[in-house]
Amino acid sequence: FAVIFAIGTRASQLAADLLQRQSILQRLQAIVATASDAETGQRGYLLTGDEKYLAPYASALSDVRSRISVLEKAATEGFIAPQEVEKIDRLISAKFSELAQTIELKKQHRDQEALAILRGGQGKQLMDEIRDACDQLVAAEEVRINNDLSETIKDGKIRLWLYAGGLVINVLFLGW
């Protein structure tokens, strides 16, 4: 029973880790989507000059910070390497700085300067780097999730056999 309890405790911890890892996957995917939404808002505003296009950008500003903080918490708990979160944070900050710069130039009616920054390709390069960094972490987390699932299944089978063995021993004892 002590072994069954230990395996059950381990299975419970693996299940909690699985939930945390799935949450990390969702946060990473949401960070890419949020940066993309902000970029879409910026481009809409640069093309039209209509500030209603800045709504996704404004929303993304607050959303991305909360998503990064969740990743930082996961890094302190040992689920992600802190340097990976720092890298994503640095890239996101650079991307939002580039977005803010072009938006501000457009507000000052310096359209050509804003478009020159856009054409320079730094924003696209930053988005590509954000996607790559997040995709690498997603791939690593998927491997860990698969490993945890395998361990959970293995532990379940061991517990099943231990319960079955205990049942057989009890039936034999009662029959004796």
Side-chain angles (χ1 to χ4, degrees):
F1 287 113
V3 172
I4 292 171
F5 177 78
I7 291 173
T9 302
R10 181 170 177 243
S12 177
Q13 182 60 47
L14 284 171
D17 289 354
L18 277 170
L19 289 175
Q20 180 69 14
R21 291 190 191 290
Q22 288 173 334
S23 174
I24 290 167
L25 285 180
Q26 292 169 348
R27 300 288 186 221
L28 289 166
Q29 293 163 343
I31 284 172
V32 172
T34 301
S36 183
D37 289 348
E39 187 176 60
T40 300
Q42 171 234 24
R43 298 240 169 118
Y45 177 68
L46 292 180
L47 287 172
T48 66
D50 188 346
E51 292 202 11
K52 73 178 179 188
Y53 286 95
L54 291 178
Y57 168 78
S59 175
L61 277 174
S62 62
D63 290 349
V64 79
R65 282 288 111 217
S66 66
R67 291 185 172 124
I68 293 286
S69 68
V70 169
L71 290 180
E72 289 170 341
K73 183 177 181 242
T76 60
E77 294 172 352
F79 286 98
I80 305 176
Q83 61 269 22
E84 293 296 329
V85 177
E86 290 169 13
K87 178 181 178 181
I88 291 171
D89 188 24
R90 186 179 71 254
L91 290 168
I92 289 289
S93 295
K95 178 62 183 172
F96 276 83
S97 176
E98 178 259 340
L99 295 173
Q101 181 184 15
T102 58
I103 289 168
E104 189 57 38
L105 287 171
K106 177 70 175 178
K107 285 181 179 179
Q108 297 171 2
H109 305 290
R110 296 164 56 190
D111 295 16
Q112 293 306 315
E113 292 175 55
L115 291 175
I117 291 171
L118 195 62
R119 287 185 191 114
Q122 179 189 7
K124 181 186 179 327
Q125 179 184 349
L126 285 169
M127 271 309 293
D128 289 344
E129 289 180 32
I130 290 167
R131 282 186 192 97
D132 289 345
C134 289
D135 287 348
Q136 287 175 3
L137 278 177
V138 165
E141 286 303 308
E142 286 175 343
V143 167
R144 290 184 189 112
I145 285 171
N146 288 335
N147 289 342
D148 285 354
L149 282 172
S150 296
E151 289 295 316
T152 302
I153 290 168
K154 185 180 92 178
D155 287 351
K157 288 178 182 178
I158 291 171
R159 278 193 326 193
L160 177 67
W161 284 107
L162 288 172
Y163 280 126
L167 178 64
V168 167
I169 290 171
N170 281 328
V171 166
L172 289 174
F173 179 75
L174 289 173
W176 172 68

PDB file of all heavy atoms in Angstrom, residues 151-163:
ATOM      1  N   GLU A 151       4.959   8.474 -18.540  1.00  0.00           N
ATOM      2  CA  GLU A 151       5.199   8.118 -17.143  1.00  0.00           C
ATOM      3  C   GLU A 151       3.879   7.904 -16.408  1.00  0.00           C
ATOM      4  O   GLU A 151       3.759   6.973 -15.609  1.00  0.00           O
ATOM      5  CB  GLU A 151       6.012   9.214 -16.444  1.00  0.00           C
ATOM      6  CG  GLU A 151       7.458   9.290 -16.877  1.00  0.00           C
ATOM      7  CD  GLU A 151       8.235   8.043 -16.494  1.00  0.00           C
ATOM      8  OE1 GLU A 151       8.091   7.556 -15.366  1.00  0.00           O
ATOM      9  OE2 GLU A 151       8.993   7.547 -17.361  1.00  0.00           O
ATOM     10  N   THR A 152       2.897   8.731 -16.678  1.00  0.00           N
ATOM     11  CA  THR A 152       1.591   8.595 -16.032  1.00  0.00           C
ATOM     12  C   THR A 152       0.937   7.274 -16.418  1.00  0.00           C
ATOM     13  O   THR A 152       0.376   6.573 -15.571  1.00  0.00           O
ATOM     14  CB  THR A 152       0.679   9.780 -16.415  1.00  0.00           C
ATOM     15  OG1 THR A 152       1.316  11.000 -16.021  1.00  0.00           O
ATOM     16  CG2 THR A 152      -0.665   9.677 -15.743  1.00  0.00           C
ATOM     17  N   ILE A 153       1.009   6.925 -17.688  1.00  0.00           N
ATOM     18  CA  ILE A 153       0.435   5.652 -18.154  1.00  0.00           C
ATOM     19  C   ILE A 153       1.164   4.481 -17.510  1.00  0.00           C
ATOM     20  O   ILE A 153       0.534   3.522 -17.037  1.00  0.00           O
ATOM     21  CB  ILE A 153       0.489   5.578 -19.695  1.00  0.00           C
ATOM     22  CG1 ILE A 153      -0.501   6.573 -20.285  1.00  0.00           C
ATOM     23  CG2 ILE A 153       0.205   4.165 -20.190  1.00  0.00           C
ATOM     24  CD1 ILE A 153      -0.343   6.796 -21.778  1.00  0.00           C
ATOM     25  N   LYS A 154       2.496   4.572 -17.460  1.00  0.00           N
ATOM     26  CA  LYS A 154       3.289   3.501 -16.848  1.00  0.00           C
ATOM     27  C   LYS A 154       2.933   3.350 -15.373  1.00  0.00           C
ATOM     28  O   LYS A 154       2.721   2.233 -14.883  1.00  0.00           O
ATOM     29  CB  LYS A 154       4.784   3.803 -17.011  1.00  0.00           C
ATOM     30  CG  LYS A 154       5.691   2.692 -16.504  1.00  0.00           C
ATOM     31  CD  LYS A 154       7.146   3.047 -16.701  1.00  0.00           C
ATOM     32  CE  LYS A 154       7.609   3.728 -15.451  1.00  0.00           C
ATOM     33  NZ  LYS A 154       9.004   4.107 -15.423  1.00  0.00           N
ATOM     34  N   ASP A 155       2.832   4.472 -14.667  1.00  0.00           N
ATOM     35  CA  ASP A 155       2.472   4.424 -13.254  1.00  0.00           C
ATOM     36  C   ASP A 155       1.073   3.847 -13.051  1.00  0.00           C
ATOM     37  O   ASP A 155       0.835   3.092 -12.102  1.00  0.00           O
ATOM     38  CB  ASP A 155       2.549   5.818 -12.618  1.00  0.00           C
ATOM     39  CG  ASP A 155       3.976   6.294 -12.414  1.00  0.00           C
ATOM     40  OD1 ASP A 155       4.910   5.484 -12.599  1.00  0.00           O
ATOM     41  OD2 ASP A 155       4.153   7.480 -12.070  1.00  0.00           O
ATOM     42  N   GLY A 156       0.151   4.183 -13.945  1.00  0.00           N
ATOM     43  CA  GLY A 156      -1.204   3.638 -13.862  1.00  0.00           C
ATOM     44  C   GLY A 156      -1.206   2.135 -14.010  1.00  0.00           C
ATOM     45  O   GLY A 156      -1.927   1.427 -13.295  1.00  0.00           O
ATOM     46  N   LYS A 157      -0.397   1.632 -14.945  1.00  0.00           N
ATOM     47  CA  LYS A 157      -0.321   0.179 -15.138  1.00  0.00           C
ATOM     48  C   LYS A 157       0.290  -0.501 -13.913  1.00  0.00           C
ATOM     49  O   LYS A 157      -0.179  -1.563 -13.493  1.00  0.00           O
ATOM     50  CB  LYS A 157       0.508  -0.141 -16.379  1.00  0.00           C
ATOM     51  CG  LYS A 157      -0.208   0.189 -17.672  1.00  0.00           C
ATOM     52  CD  LYS A 157       0.664  -0.106 -18.877  1.00  0.00           C
ATOM     53  CE  LYS A 157      -0.050   0.276 -20.173  1.00  0.00           C
ATOM     54  NZ  LYS A 157       0.792   0.051 -21.352  1.00  0.00           N
ATOM     55  N   ILE A 158       1.320   0.095 -13.347  1.00  0.00           N
ATOM     56  CA  ILE A 158       1.942  -0.485 -12.148  1.00  0.00           C
ATOM     57  C   ILE A 158       0.934  -0.529 -11.006  1.00  0.00           C
ATOM     58  O   ILE A 158       0.814  -1.549 -10.311  1.00  0.00           O
ATOM     59  CB  ILE A 158       3.208   0.307 -11.754  1.00  0.00           C
ATOM     60  CG1 ILE A 158       4.314   0.102 -12.792  1.00  0.00           C
ATOM     61  CG2 ILE A 158       3.694  -0.109 -10.362  1.00  0.00           C
ATOM     62  CD1 ILE A 158       5.522   0.998 -12.601  1.00  0.00           C
ATOM     63  N   ARG A 159       0.195   0.574 -10.810  1.00  0.00           N
ATOM     64  CA  ARG A 159      -0.815   0.589  -9.745  1.00  0.00           C
ATOM     65  C   ARG A 159      -1.885  -0.462  -9.989  1.00  0.00           C
ATOM     66  O   ARG A 159      -2.323  -1.148  -9.067  1.00  0.00           O
ATOM     67  CB  ARG A 159      -1.471   1.966  -9.640  1.00  0.00           C
ATOM     68  CG  ARG A 159      -0.664   2.942  -8.854  1.00  0.00           C
ATOM     69  CD  ARG A 159      -1.412   4.164  -8.475  1.00  0.00           C
ATOM     70  NE  ARG A 159      -2.387   4.590  -9.476  1.00  0.00           N
ATOM     71  CZ  ARG A 159      -2.975   5.764  -9.482  1.00  0.00           C
ATOM     72  NH1 ARG A 159      -2.716   6.622  -8.561  1.00  0.00           N
ATOM     73  NH2 ARG A 159      -3.848   6.074 -10.421  1.00  0.00           N
ATOM     74  N   LEU A 160      -2.305  -0.616 -11.236  1.00  0.00           N
ATOM     75  CA  LEU A 160      -3.306  -1.627 -11.565  1.00  0.00           C
ATOM     76  C   LEU A 160      -2.803  -3.019 -11.187  1.00  0.00           C
ATOM     77  O   LEU A 160      -3.528  -3.799 -10.563  1.00  0.00           O
ATOM     78  CB  LEU A 160      -3.648  -1.566 -13.057  1.00  0.00           C
ATOM     79  CG  LEU A 160      -4.632  -2.621 -13.552  1.00  0.00           C
ATOM     80  CD1 LEU A 160      -6.006  -2.374 -12.942  1.00  0.00           C
ATOM     81  CD2 LEU A 160      -4.697  -2.606 -15.059  1.00  0.00           C
ATOM     82  N   TRP A 161      -1.582  -3.339 -11.547  1.00  0.00           N
ATOM     83  CA  TRP A 161      -1.020  -4.656 -11.230  1.00  0.00           C
ATOM     84  C   TRP A 161      -0.855  -4.849  -9.727  1.00  0.00           C
ATOM     85  O   TRP A 161      -1.073  -5.939  -9.211  1.00  0.00           O
ATOM     86  CB  TRP A 161       0.310  -4.886 -11.955  1.00  0.00           C
ATOM     87  CG  TRP A 161       0.104  -5.200 -13.408  1.00  0.00           C
ATOM     88  CD1 TRP A 161       0.355  -4.404 -14.474  1.00  0.00           C
ATOM     89  CD2 TRP A 161      -0.436  -6.415 -13.931  1.00  0.00           C
ATOM     90  NE1 TRP A 161       0.005  -5.039 -15.635  1.00  0.00           N
ATOM     91  CE2 TRP A 161      -0.486  -6.281 -15.329  1.00  0.00           C
ATOM     92  CE3 TRP A 161      -0.905  -7.598 -13.347  1.00  0.00           C
ATOM     93  CZ2 TRP A 161      -0.966  -7.282 -16.162  1.00  0.00           C
ATOM     94  CZ3 TRP A 161      -1.377  -8.597 -14.183  1.00  0.00           C
ATOM     95  CH2 TRP A 161      -1.413  -8.429 -15.573  1.00  0.00           C
ATOM     96  N   LEU A 162      -0.479  -3.781  -9.030  1.00  0.00           N
ATOM     97  CA  LEU A 162      -0.348  -3.883  -7.575  1.00  0.00           C
ATOM     98  C   LEU A 162      -1.716  -4.115  -6.919  1.00  0.00           C
ATOM     99  O   LEU A 162      -1.842  -4.929  -5.988  1.00  0.00           O
ATOM    100  CB  LEU A 162       0.321  -2.637  -7.004  1.00  0.00           C
ATOM    101  CG  LEU A 162       1.816  -2.507  -7.289  1.00  0.00           C
ATOM    102  CD1 LEU A 162       2.326  -1.141  -6.839  1.00  0.00           C
ATOM    103  CD2 LEU A 162       2.588  -3.613  -6.580  1.00  0.00           C
ATOM    104  N   TYR A 163      -2.735  -3.379  -7.387  1.00  0.00           N
ATOM    105  CA  TYR A 163      -4.089  -3.611  -6.869  1.00  0.00           C
ATOM    106  C   TYR A 163      -4.549  -5.036  -7.170  1.00  0.00           C
ATOM    107  O   TYR A 163      -5.120  -5.722  -6.310  1.00  0.00           O
ATOM    108  CB  TYR A 163      -5.095  -2.625  -7.475  1.00  0.00           C
ATOM    109  CG  TYR A 163      -5.093  -1.264  -6.828  1.00  0.00           C
ATOM    110  CD1 TYR A 163      -4.923  -0.109  -7.598  1.00  0.00           C
ATOM    111  CD2 TYR A 163      -5.296  -1.116  -5.461  1.00  0.00           C
ATOM    112  CE1 TYR A 163      -4.933   1.143  -7.012  1.00  0.00           C
ATOM    113  CE2 TYR A 163      -5.307   0.135  -4.868  1.00  0.00           C
ATOM    114  CZ  TYR A 163      -5.131   1.257  -5.645  1.00  0.00           C
ATOM    115  OH  TYR A 163      -5.149   2.493  -5.075  1.00  0.00           O
TER     116      TYR A 163
END
